[in-house]
Amino acid sequence: MKKILLASASLFALSALTPASAADLAARPYTKAPVAVASVYNWSGFYLGANAGGGSSHNCWDLTGVGLVAVAPAVAEGCHNATGAIVGGQIGYRWQSANWVFGLEAQGDWADLKGSNTSSPAALFPLVNNTKIDAIGLFTGQVGYAWNNVLWYVKGGAAVTHNKYSGTFAGVTLDNANETRWGGSVGTGIEFGFAPNWSVGVEYNHLFMGRHNETFTFLGVTTRSDSIKQDVDMATVRLNYTFGGPVVARY
């Protein structure tokens, strides 16, 4: 009987202590959800790339001399477009401030722009005037605006072309001239960052190469001189690799 009373008292004591023990347990701590991190493309850094496309150069020739005798006023010989392929590379540096992107770039391209026209009868020469541009260079500054991994920019600066001119008759070269010509350029482009460090884009440039007077020779003897006005339009597809980490975290 005593054992039964003792067991009953023990069970009663345990039942009385259980609610108090549950109340004494500490409340479950609240864990704050982690802050989301967004990946933002960063256009800053040195980059190296390749480009390919096509171009067209408009060239107008005016005869200014025959032999060593000046022709005044100059006589128009006509105009032609020299068209063809362009391929080359570029190297530059960009730095980004908020959404604005600034940069400097040097671009060099091999070119195969060719064109010709028959000299007008008024020029007194039944010649075919030929233009070939075999190299183009650009040295430009850039200002752009970025929407994360999309960059639109404008550019401008100096341009240089290497030109070969010739006069032919029935396929035979009668005289020629070569020059390296400096001018100015303006352009625009849009570029997409499609992977860490990699971007692809399209670009258009117009080159203002001005008017130069060229002296033509045959076997070292001056045959004529022409004032040649030149402009160039070029469009290219570009692929760039930017050195460094182009993706940064924004909280």
Side-chain angles (χ1 to χ4, degrees):
M1 188 65 180
K2 290 182 179 179
K3 292 182 178 180
I4 295 175
L5 291 174
L6 181 60
S8 299
S10 298
L11 289 173
F12 178 78
L14 287 174
S15 63
L17 290 172
T18 299
S21 298
D24 291 339
L25 292 175
R28 186 174 180 180
Y30 171 74
T31 304
K32 187 178 180 181
V35 178
V37 179
S39 295
V40 180
Y41 201 89
N42 181 13
W43 291 94
S44 297
F46 286 98
Y47 62 91
L48 181 68
N51 69 81
S56 177
S57 172
H58 190 63
N59 302 269
C60 292
W61 297 39
D62 294 334
L63 184 70
T64 58
V66 176
L68 299 177
V69 179
V71 175
V75 177
E77 292 193 66
C79 303
H80 58 259
N81 292 325
T83 60
I86 296 170
V87 62
Q90 62 274 348
I91 185 172
Y93 180 78
R94 289 173 174 149
W95 59 96
Q96 183 170 355
S97 176
N99 293 88
W100 292 99
V101 179
F102 307 91
L104 296 171
E105 182 182 277
Q107 175 178 332
D109 289 275
W110 167 85
D112 189 28
L113 309 186
K114 298 177 181 178
S116 63
N117 72 283
T118 301
S119 176
S120 65
L124 305 178
F125 288 97
L127 294 176
V128 174
N129 291 326
N130 305 274
T131 299
K132 178 180 180 180
I133 300 177
D134 59 14
I136 298 174
L138 300 176
F139 304 91
T140 55
Q142 299 179 3
V143 178
Y145 191 87
W147 295 268
N148 197 9
N149 65 323
V150 179
L151 172 65
W152 170 75
Y153 60 89
V154 293
K155 60 188 296 187
V160 59
T161 59
H162 185 260
N163 307 290
K164 296 180 178 180
Y165 308 112
S166 64
T168 60
F169 179 71
V172 178
T173 300
L174 300 183
D175 56 10
N176 55 62
N178 298 316
E179 69 156 350
T180 298
R181 180 183 297 217
W182 286 88
S185 73
V186 294
T188 186
I190 188 167
E191 201 164 326
F192 304 87
F194 64 91
N197 302 94
W198 290 98
S199 59
V200 65
V202 292
E203 184 178 284
Y204 164 79
N205 291 282
H206 180 80
L207 282 56
F208 305 88
M209 304 311 295
R211 181 180 289 277
H212 285 198
N213 201 64
E214 306 298 331
T215 300
F216 288 73
T217 62
F218 179 72
L219 298 177
V221 178
T222 299
T223 57
R224 59 174 169 151
S225 58
D226 269 88
S227 176
I228 302 176
K229 184 179 184 299
Q230 182 181 88
D231 292 287
V232 180
D233 293 283
M234 52 189 290
T236 55
V237 176
R238 296 154 55 94
L239 178 68
N240 286 330
Y241 181 86
T242 301
F243 296 90
V247 178
V248 298
R250 184 171 65 188
Y251 295 90

